[in-house]
Structures are given as C-alpha cells and as structure tokens.
Amino acid sequence: MSTVTGAQSTVDAAEVARFSALAAEWWNPHGKFGVLHRFNPVRLGFIRDEAEAHFGRDAKGPKPFAGLRLLDIGCGGGLLSEPMARLGFDVLGADASEKNIKTAATHAAEVELAIDYRATTAEALAEAGERFDVILNMEVIEHVADLNLFVKSCTSMLKPGGLMFVATINRTAKAYALAIVGAEYVLGWLPKGTHDWNKFVKPLELDTALTRAGLDVTKETGVMFNPLSGGFMLANDTDVNYMVVAKK
C-alpha cells in the first residue's frame, strides 16, 4: 500500500512495515482487509467505466482492454491487479513490501493469472523508463512520504492520452470520525493505526499535485458506505472517501 528506495523516495518505512505484517490477510474477505473487499466492486466499476469511455472499448466483450498496459502501484496483495488482468490489461503490480508481492504472486499463480509483480517503487520504475496506458493509485497516496514526488514519478510513466486513477481519503473532521474512530476503533474494520489523519489529502491538494505534474483532472466522485447493502457506492459527498480520474 505504499510505494522501495532511490535517491529521492516516497517510501514511508513505517507504513511498509505495517502492511508487511498483515500480508497474509489480503485475500481473506473477513480478515484485516475485509473493508477493501467491500470497497472493490465500486472502484472496479468506476475504473472499468471510465476506461471504457476514454479508450473506446466495449467492457462487455472478452478482455476488452487487451493491448493496454496498466500499473497498479501500491498493489498490496493484488485485489485490484487480478480483476484488471481479467479485463485484458497487461498488468504490472508494484509494492514496496516484498511480503505483499509474494502474497500477490502466489495468489495469482493459484488462479492462473499472468501478472508481473515486483517489489519496487514508482521512482525506480520511472527511472527504468517504464510506460503505461493506465496507472492506479488506489488507497496509496495517504501512505507515501512525499505526495508531490510520488505523483510526479507516476505521471512521468503515463503515456500521452493515458489515465491515472486516484482513490484516497479527505482530511476532514468527518473523515477522522468515520475512517479512523469508526472503522478502526469502533467497528474494527481496519487494524488500529492503519491511517494517520494528518496524511489524508484534501481534493484541492490532490488536484493541485496532479495539475502541477501535467495532468488534467476530468472527474471526481465521492464514495459512501451503504448500510443497506453492506458495500460502498458512488456519491456526491467527498468528505470522506473520494476518487479522481486525470488524463495526460
């Protein structure tokens, strides 16, 4: 969930250690990452629909995004990488935690999916000259040490006409109450200490970082928990969780 070191680095060692310790939990829908399993349908749908419209593909067809290369940075155990591969993307899943990468690679092998998993960082990939049509920054930027450097590194790898997706948490009192007090301490959806409110990112801050890096923000949406379904849904309210699409 965070991005391994170079001359300049966005890695937060404490964050890497925290998620490495939980690596075995990634594919347990009732475990420490159960909330991400609940969150997955709405973010998968959002990515699929925006990519379908932008690249002129038919998402109902078999492997609709074949021929497009995708980076899932901060991929964790591969909860997004695998469905992206099933949609036809050529997927590179990167994470600073070797334990996360081993978990992701093992699961992909078990379900017979070809995914290029690497224990590395955005900076290292950028330095190596990697290029992608789509970059996913989902629940990552609130865990990195340098937001602007991270966004700049990712943007440098995006091909002209490519899309970057970002999902994160707003730095509001409401987010503190729901994402930290509620999710971590009351409901126990996440391990205590998963999030640091001071590292949450306001939409304007994210938009500014993306714009300075050379991207145009094309869409922003809030995401809310639906107590009736037990899942999440798109909403106008960006006070807590929100997602952004930007193009190069």
Side-chain angles (χ1 to χ4, degrees):
M1 301 267 301
S2 79
T3 148
V4 213
T5 58
Q8 285 184 299
S9 176
T10 61
V11 173
D12 185 319
E15 295 281 4
V16 174
R18 180 177 297 114
F19 287 101
S20 292
L22 299 170
E25 293 279 340
W26 279 105
W27 287 96
N28 179 2
H30 306 294
K32 302 295 185 182
F33 295 107
V35 68
L36 284 181
H37 286 266
R38 296 186 189 187
F39 197 36
N40 239 16
V42 70
R43 58 183 187 168
L44 287 173
F46 183 70
I47 295 165
R48 181 198 61 223
D49 293 348
E50 292 299 315
E52 177 184 36
H54 180 75
F55 293 107
R57 302 296 180 97
D58 180 5
K60 296 182 178 64
K63 297 189 178 300
F65 300 108
L68 297 177
R69 194 170 188 227
L70 178 146
L71 170 63
D72 183 7
I73 190 73
C75 65
L79 299 188
L80 277 175
S81 294
E82 289 197 6
M84 292 297 108
R86 289 191 178 95
L87 286 171
F89 284 108
D90 176 10
V91 178
L92 192 163
D95 199 283
S97 167
E98 291 189 8
K99 288 186 177 180
N100 284 347
I101 290 300
K102 288 179 180 178
T103 297
T106 297
H107 194 274
E110 289 173 351
V111 296
E112 300 182 342
L113 282 175
I115 298 173
D116 181 5
Y117 281 120
R118 304 184 198 176
T120 187
T121 63
E123 298 83 60
L125 290 170
E127 289 172 7
E130 298 284 359
R131 294 293 181 267
F132 303 91
D133 300 285
V134 176
I135 296 179
L136 304 185
N137 281 303
M138 310 300 279
E139 290 72 48
V140 180
I141 62 170
E142 69 270 23
H143 299 290
V144 301
D146 187 328
L147 169 63
N148 289 303
L149 175 59
F150 180 71
V151 170
K152 181 180 178 181
S153 297
C154 289
T155 300
S156 71
M157 294 186 282
L158 196 61
K159 296 178 184 178
L163 293 181
M164 186 181 297
F165 292 85
V166 184
T168 191
I169 306 174
N170 200 343
R171 195 172 64 255
T172 61
K174 184 176 178 180
Y176 182 85
L178 296 179
I180 295 181
V181 177
E184 296 182 18
Y185 290 85
V186 178
L187 298 173
W189 284 355
L190 294 166
K192 295 175 183 177
T194 296
H195 292 115
D196 178 352
W197 183 84
N198 293 299
K199 295 180 75 172
F200 288 175
V201 182
K202 289 182 175 292
L204 180 58
E205 295 169 345
L206 177 57
D207 289 357
T208 299
L210 292 168
T211 301
R212 285 177 177 171
L215 301 179
D216 294 321
V217 176
T218 59
K219 190 167 186 178
E220 182 177 286
T221 182
V223 181
M224 294 180 63
F225 177 68
N226 184 342
L228 296 178
S229 67
F232 289 81
M233 61 183 183
L234 299 181
N236 293 323
D237 186 349
T238 60
D239 286 349
V240 184
N241 296 92
Y242 67 100
M243 296 190 289
V244 168
V245 188
K247 69 176 182 179
K248 191 171 186 179

